[in-house]
Amino acid sequence: MPGLPLLLAAALLSSWAQLWTDAGSWWSLALNPVQRPEMFIIGAQPVCSQLPGLSPGQRKLCQLYQEHMAYIGEGAKTGIKECQYQFRQRRWNCSTVDNASVFGRVMQIGSRETAFTYAVSAAGVVNAISRACREGELSTCGCSRTARPKDLPRDWLWGGCGDNVEYGYRFAKEFVDAREREKNFAKGSEEQGRVLMNLQNNEAGRRAVYKTADVACKCHGVSGSCSLKTCWLQLAEFRRVGDQLKEKYDSAAAMRITRKGKLELVNSRFNQPTPEDLVYVDPSPDYCLRNETTGSLGTQGRLCNKTSEGMDGCELMCCGRGYDPFKSVQVERCHCKFHWCCFVKCRKCTEVVDQYVCK
């Protein structure tokens, strides 16, 4: 039987391995440039082993689908940018803090902000892969093969090269969820609850892209007569996906893990969340003060709007600590004139504006 020091060392090594696994994320592909597919050497496994943030399952998928990795990175970047746009006027503004964990320790809390981040990142991967298929960048997929919509007029042609959202959805599900599915926690534990939360929010993000994709058409005919139309499936602008997920964030459901290993509503009076809804298992920090333990950056030094009563207003943004005024010089294009033919000439105007920053 192993001695006690050996057992302690093994336990410590195991805990450090778990911490190391959780420290990184595939999101880091957005901040660390990924080589383009043409730069890969077939069967070059070291390429995948050097990419940061991948779980063992994701690393195996990388070896099988090396040409996909650059687009996964683009999808993660799209998700991060959309997160920062949607929360630009909130105390938590989706700031990236390093190249490994991307968002830092704040993601260790199963809050509704974390829920949104998982959803919008998964949505970004669906978006990027679907578009790469249409553009012929991936050898395993091409244009969308979605069936002709039943309500499409008979004289309109169906078969333009559409975004392959079906393939994008399936691949994103396999890759993004791999990290969660390979974890093995005790049934009914808080850790298992967090895994189920992440899987639910990943799915909500993917469905947001799938549901917002719609039919697009182009006219053909002499002098724009539009005597014929060709139609195809097209992804919505990602801002629309972000707006929809932000609405889901506002109505996210508080959940808890049961002894049977299922998520249930904390308040049974609310409606059961659908696969398109966001869920969370921990209350959010107030994000007012810098806290190294929770990963909160605080709002000190953040710009605020003195006249707004919303979350971007100085009272709420600064958490009652007050704010300092300062003046800044802004340069804008002005007095623009169109010159024949064909350019616009503008002057540069400077303006001194009052701004406010949280104490």
Side-chain angles (χ1 to χ4, degrees), residues 22 30 55 66 86 94 150 153 217 245 251 270 309 317 330:
D22 292 342
S55 71
Q66 289 184 4
Q86 295 291 342
C94 206
K150 294 181 181 179
C217 298
L245 289 175
S251 60
F270 295 142
E309 295 181 359
M317 179 67 73
Q330 295 184 352

Side-chain angles (χ1 to χ4, degrees), residues 28-29 32-35 40 44-54 59 62-63:
S28 63
L29 297 178
N32 298 283
V34 182
Q35 289 180 328
F40 286 119
Q45 293 186 12
V47 171
C48 295
S49 65
Q50 292 168 12
L51 292 178
L54 300 187
R59 214 168 289 284
C62 171
Q63 293 165 11

Side-chain angles (χ1 to χ4, degrees), residues 64-293:
L64 293 171
Y65 301 96
Q66 289 184 4
E67 60 183 356
H68 289 54
M69 301 311 293
Y71 300 100
I72 293 172
E74 287 182 9
K77 185 181 293 185
T78 298
I80 291 169
K81 286 184 176 180
E82 186 60 26
C83 182
Q84 291 172 344
Y85 172 82
Q86 295 291 342
F87 288 86
R88 67 195 184 282
Q89 296 177 341
R90 298 277 185 137
R91 291 174 182 170
W92 179 77
N93 61 354
C94 206
S95 297
T96 56
V97 297
D98 57 51
N99 284 350
S101 62
V102 180
F103 298 108
R105 290 185 178 180
V106 72
M107 290 295 110
Q108 294 177 6
I109 303 170
S111 66
R112 64 171 69 214
E113 289 77 30
T114 298
F116 180 89
T117 305
Y118 273 74
V120 79
S121 300
V125 175
V126 178
N127 190 78
I129 296 294
S130 301
R131 194 147 284 167
C133 289
R134 184 202 67 194
E135 294 173 353
E137 299 291 344
L138 303 176
S139 61
T140 53
C141 62
C143 298
S144 172
R145 295 183 180 180
T146 301
R148 178 189 178 95
K150 294 181 181 179
D151 58 350
L152 199 70
R154 289 185 178 182
D155 56 341
W156 292 7
L157 297 179
W158 178 254
C161 186
D163 294 309
N164 198 337
V165 69
E166 300 90 349
Y167 182 91
Y169 172 90
R170 291 195 306 271
F171 181 83
K173 184 179 180 68
E174 188 174 5
F175 179 84
V176 177
D177 285 2
R179 186 180 193 87
E180 307 302 327
R181 296 195 182 282
E182 64 195 36
K183 294 176 181 177
N184 186 22
F185 294 114
K187 182 182 291 188
S189 65
E190 291 183 6
E191 292 83 0
Q192 191 212 10
R194 178 60 193 274
V195 167
L196 295 177
M197 168 192 154
N198 293 345
L199 289 172
Q200 164 81 19
N201 296 321
N202 288 345
E203 178 66 10
R206 291 189 292 265
R207 292 198 179 207
V209 179
Y210 194 93
K211 294 284 186 178
T212 53
D214 203 357
V215 173
C217 298
K218 182 178 181 180
C219 283
H220 306 278
V222 180
S223 300
S225 61
C226 205
S227 56
L228 182 66
K229 278 190 175 182
T230 301
C231 304
W232 61 91
L233 185 68
Q234 183 170 294
L235 292 170
E237 291 292 326
F238 201 73
R239 178 56 38 78
R240 186 178 164 197
V241 175
D243 290 341
Q244 181 172 307
L245 289 175
K246 182 59 165 52
E247 291 180 6
K248 297 294 184 181
Y249 161 87
D250 291 330
S251 60
M255 309 294 284
R256 62 188 169 207
I257 190 73
T258 67
R259 291 182 179 179
K260 295 182 179 180
K262 303 288 184 181
L263 286 180
E264 68 174 10
L265 285 164
V266 171
N267 191 333
S268 59
R269 292 179 297 176
F270 295 142
N271 293 330
Q272 192 69 23
T274 71
E276 298 173 19
D277 293 322
L278 301 188
V279 301
Y280 64 96
V281 294
D282 296 323
S284 299
D286 60 18
Y287 302 110
C288 284
L289 300 175
R290 188 175 187 88
N291 187 320
E292 297 294 337
T293 302

